[in-house]
Amino acid sequence: SSELTQDPTVSVALGQTVTITCHGDLLRSYFASWYQQKPGQAPVLLIYANNRPAGIPDRFSGSHSGTTSSLTITGAQAEDEADYYCNSRDIGGKLLLFGGGTKLTVL
Amino acid sequence: ERELVESGGDFVQAGGSLRLSCAASGFSLGPFWMSWVRQAPGKGLEWVANIKQDGSENYSVDSVKGRFTISRDNAKNLLFLQMTSLRVEDTGAYFCATEDSSSWYHYFGLWGRGTLVTVSS
């Protein structure tokens, strides 16, 4: 099916490591990209094809296996508290999809 | 600095129309597929539509087919979204974004700050 599934909420203690996952059959064919969105702001690209764009801190990393793409934050900071979305193409390759989003709380 | 700026969002009655614009500065839109992405209040991101570099192909989510039309003017570095037969559920922030992709990945590289569309019943 053409769906991307994310856990709605995840929490992490300050300085600890957290992994946010994105599941979907279509991820057998495509790697997900990841976006961070803070309240009232536009999304920002964090990871694509397991790569970090320039300017993204190296505590953010991506991985992919089978039908799951993952975003890992190693040493979470208070400013990482935000909504995180995954994105990919659908099974047919023409349409685009987002996961439902994960709200990350840094404790 | 590369920037996208959306405009045209407004308060409109259900059944009405709006035309959103997205202006690029600091770079050319020409080489990019371009997308509109929306976000209802308190909800997640939803891809709406995209258009090929030369405008020869475009795709959209089923909920807007026949009502929304995406277009572009590369000479003026502009992207548009013509929205007709608006519904209350079309309310939200509308973002434009550049696309990059290969056969095994896709991403939205640069986003605008968004423009707000409010549709009342």
Side-chain angles (χ1 to χ4, degrees):
Chain A
S1 67
S2 283
E3 286 183 345
L4 296 173
T5 302
Q6 298 181 240
D7 291 330
T9 61
V10 171
S11 61
V12 61
L14 184 67
Q16 296 303 301
T17 296
V18 63
T19 296
I20 298 170
T21 58
C22 178
H23 302 280
D25 288 344
L26 56 90
L27 295 180
R28 291 187 196 279
S29 303
Y30 301 106
F31 278 36
S33 56
W34 289 94
Y35 306 84
Q36 178 192 68
Q37 187 182 34
K38 297 181 179 179
Q41 297 184 19
V44 173
L45 175 68
L46 288 178
I47 296 287
Y48 70 96
N50 296 344
N51 296 309
R52 264 189 323 275
I56 300 301
D58 61 5
R59 63 179 180 273
F60 294 95
S61 63
S63 62
H64 182 94
S65 179
T67 60
T68 301
S69 279
S70 301
L71 171 71
T72 297
I73 308 174
T74 303
Q77 303 299 303
E79 62 263 32
D80 298 335
E81 189 161 285
D83 294 325
Y84 292 84
Y85 296 91
C86 59
N87 148 250
S88 183
R89 294 189 178 281
D90 80 338
I91 290 288
K94 299 297 186 184
L95 306 183
L96 301 171
L97 294 174
F98 286 97
T102 297
K103 182 177 183 59
L104 176 68
T105 299
V106 180
L107 304 171
Chain B
E1 181 187 359
R2 301 189 331 152
E3 190 177 26
L4 294 170
V5 178
E6 302 91 340
S7 61
D10 205 346
F11 185 98
V12 63
Q13 297 274 351
S17 298
L18 279 177
R19 190 192 197 203
L20 305 184
S21 298
C22 168
S25 61
F27 72 106
S28 171
L29 286 182
F32 296 97
W33 277 79
M34 294 295 299
S35 265
W36 288 97
V37 175
R38 69 183 178 184
Q39 186 170 37
K43 301 297 185 182
L45 300 173
E46 180 184 33
W47 173 75
V48 174
N50 67 355
I51 185 167
K52 193 176 180 178
Q53 290 91 336
D54 62 1
S56 62
E57 291 180 43
N58 64 83
Y59 302 93
S60 61
V61 67
D62 284 348
S63 60
V64 308
K65 277 187 169 65
R67 301 188 301 122
F68 291 10
T69 302
I70 189 171
S71 62
R72 63 194 297 162
D73 184 336
N74 289 340
K76 295 183 178 178
N77 236 10
L78 290 169
L79 174 72
F80 303 103
L81 185 68
Q82 180 68 49
M83 310 164 69
T84 63
S85 302
L86 281 161
R87 304 168 180 169
V88 171
E89 55 265 35
D90 295 320
T91 293
Y94 283 72
F95 302 95
C96 61
T98 61
E99 294 185 41
D100 281 282
S101 65
S102 75
S103 59
W104 53 281
Y105 67 81
H106 168 277
Y107 64 93
F108 299 104
L110 181 67
W111 296 69
R113 294 184 180 182
T115 188
L116 189 59
V117 172
T118 304
V119 184
S120 73
S121 57

